[in-house]
Structures are given as structure tokens and as C-alpha cells.
Amino acid sequence: MPESVEYGNKSLFLSKEFHLKTDGSKYPDASGILKDGFTRLLDVITANNVIEFNSKVDESLLLQGINVVVLSESDELQYDIDESYKLLIHANGNQNYAEIEAATVYGALHALQTFSQLCHFNFKSRKLVVSQIPWTINDKPRFSYRGLLIDTSRHYQPLPMIKKVIDSMAYAKLNVLHWHIVDTQAFPLEIPSFPKLWDGAYSTSERYTMAVAADIVSYAKKRGINVLAELDVPGHAVSWGVGYPELWPSKNCTEPLDVSNEFTFKLINGVLSDFSKIFKYKFVHLGGDEVDTSCWSSTPRIKKWLEEQGFNESQAYEYFVLKAQKIAVSHGYEVINWEETFNSFGSKLDRKTVVHNWLGSGVAEKVVEAGLRCIVSNQDSWYLDHLDATWQQFYTNEPLTNITDPKLQKLVLGGEVCMWGEHIDGSDIEQTIWPRAAAAAERLWTRRDKLAKKPEEVMTRLMHFRCLLNQRGVAAAPLDGPGRVAPIEPGSCYVQ
């Protein structure tokens, strides 16, 4: 739901030569972000039908195109850029153009997404129609971080499917793809500095070259989406040792990564150096969750090292996380860590750390009271792999619960829905993400006082959006039931 919306009761047909104009815009579009966005707009609004112009139409009833004015020359995509826009569609006689004004090209892309939802195919006239003209929409997001996590370690996701997910994120105005690239099970990404790391992939065909990673970042940028790369350390890392066994505490005790071995940190430095050439988002995610440190104490040489350093297991965990943070900062990154790091030694974390909440509610308020920033993904409401979490729970999950001080509210960057991959591959990822992720997307975009007080009030709109996704080739599941549910019986998309 936009910041403000006004509309009327007239209609206009889209002209056969419906086109893009940029009169008065400062943005040169050298990389084609706006032009490509307009081409995609035409694709999605015409995809399901053939537009017919067999008879002459009164010029005053035609919308000739869209004039887009972007106020910034830059197309840098980064956290906290201005994503606001204005969209006007008025009937002004014989030269009707929709008008978009945006601070950045990425605000303009959001405006094109909104415009696409105002168009529909009229089966009587066989033309595209914008109804309820005149439209005046002013809009901006509530949070600058609106994320979706995908997991390519538990199951490999083919590149075309990752791109389909990115496309669908843009439809819902989500703007961060959190790429949980590697984990215990598999290390599918090429790391030029340490070429044996991807020996930990499931197979030689289930891998991503650095060129593919760069392609994903570029593809996402053209849709206004940042890519947040995650390197989860020191736990969740058994697969690293397939290529480099010296990272394991021992052959029989394979994680967490060996805290006593300087090679461990040399390798992390190499990975993050390679990351920095491709992943240009200001944040990198260093994980830090679910670390069982017992291997360190049960391995004699590491136990000896701990004693020499005067560390117990908990102190060694802290040492590892803080050392990894320093390496990331040296490569120009600000660090995101899962909440266990804060729960264990929050006061020691780098003061620019962003704490990623997942275990439950109530953590965000503690994080911001400690002066750190936070991203909310509490698993009871925003974990997509929890199929029993309903769209209503996704909609009502409020990142600012119990945070009333405006200064502290600003420390909550936003939120993220997490598509963990234990039971997800290319065959079922879309219907597990959608439509529940769209419910969270509105929570993260729309001003709090404009959100529905009861989820039932948005049900019709969410059903409509789910059907729109289906029409655009996205396998969004019905609302009626738990996540990834199949249709119960024959019937219209709009009542499921």
C-alpha cells in the first residue's frame, strides 16, 4: 500500500506505440537500467494476451507512454538510497503521458512496478487499459532493508531459478537478496584465491563460477536489488575442509573451523578479498550462529592452544568472530552477524555490527538499546521453510515491537524472510516463498499507520497479487492453507 493514493473513475487505453520518454530527467541511463525496466514493464503487462488495434481509437482516450524524470545522475545501488517516487496518470487531451518523478532510478523502477499493477487487459476491446484515472500516487518505503534469503548449500539452485526469484522480488519491491552461499553440506562457489574450496560442491555441475556470481549481482542491480553475500563462520563449515582438510579440527571432528590455525584466517581473508571484487553491497554476512565448540576441546592440539592462550571454548568463539570481523572491515565491509554473537558477547562486537535476529522475538529491542543496528527475521513468523507459519503471521510480524524511541527505531534497518533450503530445490522454491513473502513485503514497505490492523483486510489484495504472480510465470501457491499448499479443488485463482 503506497504512502498516499488518489484515483478517479475514467479509463485510458495504452497506445500501440506506448513508449518511454525522459524529458527533464538528469539520469543519463548509460547502463540501460531504466530502458530495460521499461522493456520488462511492457513484457509483463502484455504477456498473457495479444493486443489488437484493428479499429481507430480517439487520441484523447490513449495513453501514449510514460515520461520518467530522475533527479539523480547516479545509478549507485547501496543501502539507504532514496527509493521514493511520484506517479501521475491524468487525462490531458490528445497527448496523454503518465508522469513518474523519482530521486533515483531505483525509485523509478518501483514506480514502473506500481504502474504495471494498474494495467489490465480488457477482453471486450482487446486492449490494455488503465482504469480509475486520474491517479496520483506518492510513495516511499518504510525500511531500507527488505530482504529475502536463499540457501544454495542445502540444495543447489540453478542460475535461471535464482534470476526468477530476483524478478519476483522486484514485483514485491523487496530490495536485498541475502545469498547464503555455503554451509556444512556444500561449498558451490568458486574462490580464485583458494581454488580447492569448491571441491566441497555436491558435484562438478552444481557450482557457481565467479562470473556467474557477478552476473547475479548485475542482474539484481538492474532490478534495484542488492546482493548480500554470506560466509558463515566458524560453524556450518564442514564443506570447506573437503578441499582444505587442515581447516578441520580433525578428520573425525570437522567443525567448527580450526580456531588455532592461522591458515583458517588467511583463507577467510582470501575469500573476503575475492568477495569484495564482486559483492559491492556495503554489508557482508559472517554468520556466527549455532557454533558447537566441543571439537576444539576434544582435539588435543587445539586444547593445548586454548590453554596457552588462556581461553575457554566461549572465549575462543568470541576470538574467532571478532578476528573474522576485523578481516571483513579491512576489505571495506560492515558486518552482519546472527544474533548468537550478540547474545554471547554483544559488548565486544565491532560497533558497526548489524545483529541479525532469528531465534525469537524480543531480541531487536535489546540490540538497539545496546546501540547496535538490527535486522529482524524471527523464525516463528518469517522463516519460509516453516510451512505452518501462515501468511497472516507473516503480515502481522512487526519489526519495531516494543521499540518506541524514534532514535532506537532508526537502528532497525528492516527485516528479511528466510528461505532455508533443507527441503527446497528448483522444483519448489517459488511456491514456498510466495505469496507469504509478499505479506512481509508490505509490512516492510508500507508506513505503519497505513498497514491493515487485521490481516483479513488485505486478503483480497494479497489473493490478487498471488494471481498476478501466477500470470507472470511465478509459481505462487494459494493463500488458503499452510506454505506451499496445493489448490484444494477446482476454482478461480481469485478465491484460493
Side-chain angles (χ1 to χ4, degrees):
M1 182 61 75
E3 180 103 343
S4 69
V5 182
E6 295 172 19
Y7 57 91
N9 56 12
K10 295 189 169 70
S11 295
L12 288 175
F13 296 110
L14 267 63
S15 160
K16 190 177 182 181
E17 286 83 29
F18 190 78
H19 60 279
L20 173 68
K21 284 204 312 184
T22 54
D23 294 354
S25 180
K26 294 179 180 174
Y27 177 64
D29 202 24
S31 51
I33 292 174
L34 184 59
K35 180 170 156 286
D36 290 352
F38 183 76
T39 301
R40 290 194 303 276
L41 165 74
L42 294 181
D43 287 345
V44 296
I45 63 178
T46 59
N48 284 293
N49 291 286
V50 175
I51 317 302
E52 298 178 23
F53 276 91
N54 298 328
S55 55
K56 191 163 172 59
V57 180
D58 185 338
E59 287 281 312
S60 67
L61 298 177
L62 290 176
L63 193 62
Q64 304 292 343
I66 304 178
N67 189 61
V68 179
V69 175
V70 176
L71 303 178
S72 169
E73 296 178 11
S74 171
D75 61 10
E76 184 189 11
L77 181 62
Q78 201 43 270
Y79 172 74
D80 209 22
I81 58 159
D82 190 329
E83 299 175 83
S84 64
Y85 68 88
K86 293 177 187 171
L87 172 61
L88 307 175
I89 313 173
H90 292 180
N92 300 319
N94 286 344
Q95 283 297 311
N96 293 316
Y97 282 86
E99 299 282 342
I100 289 171
E101 184 180 295
T104 66
V105 67
Y106 302 108
L109 292 182
H110 293 318
L112 293 176
Q113 292 295 348
T114 298
F115 182 87
S116 77
Q117 293 188 41
L118 303 180
C119 301
H120 67 275
F121 183 78
N122 182 303
F123 279 87
K124 190 174 179 185
S125 67
R126 311 291 170 95
K127 294 176 181 60
L128 285 166
V129 178
V130 180
S131 301
Q132 296 180 287
I133 286 172
W135 284 95
T136 302
I137 296 174
N138 286 284
D139 204 8
K140 65 180 181 186
R142 179 179 170 211
F143 291 107
S144 286
Y145 186 107
R146 306 179 304 281
L148 167 69
L149 176 148
I150 62 167
D151 170 5
T152 59
S153 174
R154 274 52 178 260
H155 283 94
Y156 176 82
Q157 288 291 344
L159 179 61
M161 183 53 73
I162 293 174
K163 288 183 173 179
K164 279 196 79 182
V165 169
I166 291 168
D167 285 336
S168 60
M169 288 174 67
Y171 301 150
K173 300 186 175 78
L174 294 173
N175 72 341
V176 180
L177 177 71
H178 175 177
W179 188 6
H180 186 86
I181 307 170
V182 303
D183 208 292
T184 291
Q185 292 83 358
F187 197 116
L189 181 66
E190 177 185 27
I191 301 295
S193 298
F194 290 90
K196 291 188 203 166
L197 274 170
W198 72 350
D199 290 0
Y202 286 121
S203 69
T204 53
S205 63
E206 292 170 294
R207 288 173 163 180
Y208 308 100
T209 63
M210 284 306 254
V212 163
D215 185 35
I216 289 168
V217 171
S218 170
Y219 190 90
K221 180 182 179 181
K222 285 205 160 190
R223 288 148 183 79
I225 294 169
N226 291 287
V227 178
L228 169 68
E230 181 176 358
L231 189 74
D232 196 348
V233 295
H236 291 279
V238 173
S239 62
W240 300 38
V242 177
Y244 296 96
E246 58 267 48
L247 295 169
W248 290 336
S250 71
K251 281 188 179 177
N252 301 320
C253 217
T254 52
E255 70 180 354
L257 295 167
D258 186 349
V259 65
S260 71
N261 190 347
E262 269 308 306
F263 176 71
T264 302
F265 298 99
K266 183 183 174 188
L267 185 139
I268 289 170
N269 183 54
V271 174
L272 292 174
S273 175
D274 289 348
F275 270 22
S276 68
K277 296 177 179 77
I278 286 184
F279 299 111
K280 300 299 185 182
Y281 196 35
K282 71 187 268 186
F283 300 112
V284 70
H285 205 305
L286 292 183
D289 61 313
E290 297 182 319
V291 180
D292 177 356
T293 54
S294 57
C295 265
W296 290 342
S297 287
S298 64
T299 304
R301 66 183 171 76
I302 300 179
K303 186 181 180 186
K304 185 181 176 210
W305 181 86
L306 291 176
E307 289 166 357
E308 288 169 356
Q309 302 298 319
F311 288 162
N312 60 27
E313 289 179 22
S314 300
Q315 290 167 320
Y317 167 47
E318 176 188 316
Y319 166 83
F320 195 116
V321 168
L322 297 183
K323 191 159 182 172
Q325 282 198 335
K326 284 193 177 85
I327 295 169
V329 170
S330 77
H331 291 289
Y333 283 119
E334 293 177 29
V335 176
I336 302 175
N337 277 113
W338 293 109
E339 71 171 74
E340 286 96 326
T341 57
F342 173 79
N343 298 339
S344 301
F345 46 88
S347 63
K348 306 281 185 61
L349 291 170
D350 182 284
R351 298 309 294 165
K352 284 190 172 180
T353 301
V354 179
V355 177
H356 197 162
N357 153 235
W358 73 277
L359 285 168
S361 51
V363 175
E365 57 193 284
K366 291 177 189 161
V367 171
V368 297
E369 277 166 12
L372 296 173
R373 294 170 295 176
C374 189
I375 294 165
V376 174
S377 293
N378 46 306
Q379 61 176 335
D380 52 342
S381 297
W382 276 359
Y383 266 31
L384 291 155
D385 56 311
H386 290 204
L387 300 183
D388 57 345
T390 63
W391 71 263
Q392 290 94 334
Q393 286 171 266
F394 275 77
Y395 191 84
T396 54
N397 191 46
E398 173 49 53
L400 298 184
T401 299
N402 297 330
I403 304 171
T404 53
D405 183 335
K407 285 182 184 170
L408 297 184
Q409 288 180 343
K410 284 181 179 157
L411 294 175
V412 179
L413 304 189
E416 174 180 296
V417 291
C418 298
M419 184 64 278
W420 294 107
E422 282 85 351
H423 306 284
I424 306 297
D425 64 11
S427 70
D428 61 355
I429 186 169
E430 289 184 304
Q431 57 266 52
T432 317
I433 293 173
W434 306 107
R436 292 179 301 159
E442 174 150 299
R443 172 67 52 174
L444 292 167
W445 178 277
T446 299
R447 210 174 68 201
R448 194 169 181 179
D449 62 347
K450 301 276 287 185
L451 290 162
K453 302 295 179 279
K454 296 177 184 171
E456 291 67 36
E457 295 167 24
V458 300
M459 189 167 179
T460 303
R461 287 195 299 117
L462 187 54
M463 277 185 169
H464 187 277
F465 186 73
R466 179 250 165 174
C467 297
L468 186 73
L469 289 174
N470 281 180
Q471 288 169 4
R472 293 179 180 184
V474 180
L479 266 68
D480 191 10
R484 206 163 66 214
V485 70
I488 297 168
E489 59 189 4
S492 165
C493 176
Y494 296 98
V495 295
Q496 294 177 339

